[in-house]
Amino acid sequence: EECWSHRGRDCITLADKLDKTAKIFEITRRAIEHFPQSLLPQMGSAATHEITFVQRDSHFWTGTAGAIVGGHGVTIARLHLSEFAYYADPLTLLNGFRPAMEKVPNSVITIETTPSEFGSEAHVFWQEAVKGNNGFTPLFFPWFQCDPRYSRVLFAPDELGRLADSEAALVKLHGVTLEQIKWRRDKIKENRDEATIFVQY
């Protein structure tokens, strides 16, 4: 919305891998198919993943972290960093874009990611956001609210047996279903380490 409704607004989305960049740009391309004729942008080549709203002098780029190192020579109104925890050097990349955003009133940086390793740069950055130390607002979306497919069919009412304390807490505090607990157990078996794949409550 920022690109097509305002003049001179440049926006960037970065993914962690090239194949994800293509998938994100495909979502953008499909959205453009439903734009009114008066707002249709010019599409760049498939390699550039760029669209230009000529009448607004605004651009939207979709790129891959590492291939783009910073916002040199542009002013950016919106920056979306997807799977931030999996960038090779996430904080250096983020800091490279900040000067380009300081010139734009009400510019917004959105960082989203699934978690990576404990103590990583992204994890420490999240902890600082929780403490209110870096200017970012932390939002956490737990697995049991994210996707209805995160469940398994129960074949008997007592199939799971006695729930572990962490499982009972999920049921009591967050309304997690037994079908979701079964899915959770399957994921733990696959990864063999509960702490690395699930935040504890």
Side-chain angles (χ1 to χ4, degrees):
E1 187 269 336
E2 188 70 19
C3 280
W4 59 260
S5 65
H6 295 83
R7 179 169 293 281
R9 297 291 199 178
D10 292 335
C11 304
I12 296 178
T13 291
L14 295 183
D16 61 320
K17 295 179 180 177
L18 187 59
D19 61 329
K20 291 181 183 176
T21 300
K23 288 179 181 178
I24 291 172
F25 188 72
E26 177 61 19
I27 295 169
T28 305
R29 190 195 63 76
R30 289 200 309 269
I32 289 169
E33 291 177 355
H34 300 283
F35 269 42
Q37 191 68 30
S38 61
L39 292 174
L40 283 177
Q42 290 181 353
M43 302 292 289
S45 69
T48 62
H49 296 118
E50 177 185 351
I51 62 173
T52 302
F53 294 90
V54 178
Q55 294 179 341
R56 296 285 193 266
D57 190 28
S58 295
H59 305 83
F60 178 67
W61 292 279
T62 306
T64 308
I68 298 178
V69 295
H72 305 293
V74 295
T75 53
I76 302 168
R78 297 288 185 269
L79 176 65
H80 171 208
L81 304 178
S82 180
E83 290 296 3
F84 182 71
Y86 296 92
Y87 294 2
D89 196 349
L91 294 184
T92 297
L93 186 141
L94 172 62
N95 291 331
F97 278 104
R98 281 181 161 174
M101 304 191 73
E102 290 173 356
K103 306 171 189 174
V104 182
N106 302 314
S107 61
V108 175
I109 300 173
T110 301
I111 298 173
E112 51 87 1
T113 189
T114 48
S116 62
E117 61 187 89
F118 188 90
S120 66
E121 275 193 355
H123 180 229
V124 172
F125 186 85
W126 163 262
Q127 290 177 316
E128 290 301 302
V130 170
K131 295 174 185 175
N133 291 341
N134 59 17
F136 283 80
T137 301
L139 300 172
F140 175 67
F141 302 95
W143 62 270
F144 48 82
Q145 294 178 357
C146 289
D147 196 322
R149 294 172 297 179
Y150 294 167
S151 64
R152 296 283 187 268
V153 174
L154 291 177
F155 298 106
D158 59 349
E159 178 182 344
L160 298 181
R162 183 183 178 280
L163 297 182
D165 290 345
S166 60
E167 295 171 336
L170 286 169
V171 172
K172 181 178 180 181
L173 299 175
H174 303 287
V176 174
T177 67
L178 294 181
E179 288 80 4
Q180 289 175 306
I181 294 295
K182 183 176 179 180
W183 177 88
R184 182 179 185 273
R185 286 186 181 182
D186 287 347
K187 295 296 112 181
I188 292 171
K189 286 177 185 176
E190 290 172 13
N191 290 273
R192 299 183 182 179
D193 186 356
E194 180 180 21
T196 61
I197 59 172
F198 291 108
V199 174
Q200 298 303 297
Y201 292 88

